[in-house]
Amino acid sequence: MVAQASPGTVYLVGAGPGDPDLLTVRAHRLLCTCDALVYDALVPAQLLALPSPDCHKVFVGKRRGHHSVPQQSTNIVLARMAYTHKSVVRLKGGDPFVFGRGAEEAAYLHALGIPVQVAPGITAGIAVPAYIGLPVTHREAGSSITFVTGHELVNKERQRVNWQALATATDTMVIYMGIHNLTAIVAQLLAGGLDAATPAAAIQQGATALQKHVIGPIAALPKRVRESGLQAPSIVVVGRVVDKRIPACAPPLPKVDMPIPLPDPATATRTRMS
């Protein structure tokens, strides 16, 4: 690669939660015209075919249970690519600024004087429930909604998420990345005063061909999730809006499997270093 006198622009692009049809018009245009693509595991394979054959592609995916590319390494990759390419797309599942660390990448690039723009995507917390016909707000059941990460319980001595306070502070909770900590989360919510009969849903790999879900009272949800074998990535919705679900209005599931398979570690290393 030939270094440029001035850096190109890095676009932080949201791919949406799975269905390629949920890609925004702007994201589609950026993918079709970029000359470098840095992408995660949680993007449909169809989107990787949009750039030209000459596009330089780099995989920096993070998956639970697999070796992850450190965030600092990803930041460095983006900066280096900006000095050898005019248009770099950093493709993330969902929306870059919703539990996606996009703001961290934007701050890093901005501090280096590298032009960076965000292209928002449809976040899983809204789209995934819709793909089982579940609204996240409803005039009769939910006038407030809280998006919260359930991943924070892991290896943290002090929690920023006060689950007991959230239990009665909002009509609806949409929990990202909470399936592995669901038992502990539910225990905290019940301790905070949430009614054990509150309806809840857990949805695995929504808006994809591998989508499946379970529904039940919040107190029973961890057991039902275990029995059904639901795995990450999953979204959990808690609140009376679950009872307002209209299955008939759910969109058809796309013929795409998510997440895309992780590449062979040796191949991934060679790709990142190229």
Side-chain angles (χ1 to χ4, degrees):
M1 296 294 176
V2 178
Q4 303 166 164
S6 58
T9 300
V10 177
Y11 297 92
L12 306 176
V13 177
D19 189 344
D21 283 352
L22 296 180
L23 192 70
T24 68
V25 172
R26 183 171 187 236
H28 186 277
R29 175 174 57 80
L30 289 171
L31 280 168
C32 289
T33 56
C34 69
D35 54 359
L37 174 63
V38 181
Y39 64 99
D40 282 348
L42 295 177
V43 296
Q46 286 92 327
L47 300 188
L48 304 183
L50 292 177
S52 72
D54 296 330
C55 178
H56 184 185
K57 298 176 183 177
V58 180
F59 176 81
V60 292
K62 297 178 176 65
R63 289 286 310 284
R64 184 182 180 92
H66 296 274
H67 174 71
S68 295
V69 179
Q71 184 61 46
Q72 183 63 16
S73 296
T74 298
N75 293 345
I76 292 171
V77 167
L78 291 172
R80 288 178 176 172
M81 299 287 273
Y83 275 98
T84 53
H85 299 82
K86 293 182 178 179
S87 176
V88 181
V89 165
R90 169 69 168 110
L91 189 63
K92 294 171 169 285
D95 180 278
F97 280 4
V98 181
F99 303 123
R101 305 190 74 168
E104 297 172 45
E105 295 172 358
Y108 178 87
L109 295 166
H110 178 68
L112 294 177
I114 296 173
V116 57
Q117 293 183 24
V118 64
I122 298 176
T123 185
I126 296 173
V128 166
Y131 269 67
I132 65 166
L134 198 166
V136 292
T137 66
H138 194 286
R139 188 168 59 89
E140 298 174 355
S143 298
S144 61
I145 181 171
T146 298
F147 296 99
V148 58
T149 175
H151 189 60
E152 200 186 37
L153 279 174
V154 179
N155 298 326
K156 272 204 174 180
E157 295 180 1
R158 183 177 180 182
Q159 306 302 321
R160 293 183 181 177
V161 178
N162 188 335
W163 293 102
Q164 292 194 31
L166 275 180
T168 56
T170 185
D171 293 330
T172 305
M173 272 175 281
V174 177
I175 306 171
Y176 291 67
M177 302 170 286
I179 205 76
H180 292 284
N181 302 313
L182 188 58
T183 298
I185 291 170
V186 170
Q188 288 293 306
L189 292 173
L190 296 177
L194 184 67
D195 188 339
T198 301
I203 311 159
Q204 170 189 286
Q205 297 189 192
T208 77
L210 299 180
Q211 174 180 297
K212 66 177 183 176
H213 68 275
V214 295
I215 292 176
I218 186 63
L221 194 66
K223 183 174 185 290
R224 295 191 180 186
V225 165
R226 288 194 300 272
E227 292 174 345
S228 66
L230 255 65
Q231 299 178 356
S234 294
I235 288 286
V236 176
V237 182
V238 182
R240 292 191 300 121
V241 291
V242 175
D243 286 340
K244 299 298 182 179
R245 188 171 77 99
I246 308 294
C249 76
L253 296 180
K255 294 180 180 179
V256 56
D257 288 342
M258 286 278 290
I260 62 175
L262 285 173
D264 175 80
T267 302
T269 300
R270 289 195 298 270
T271 302
R272 288 195 294 270
M273 297 302 294
S274 62

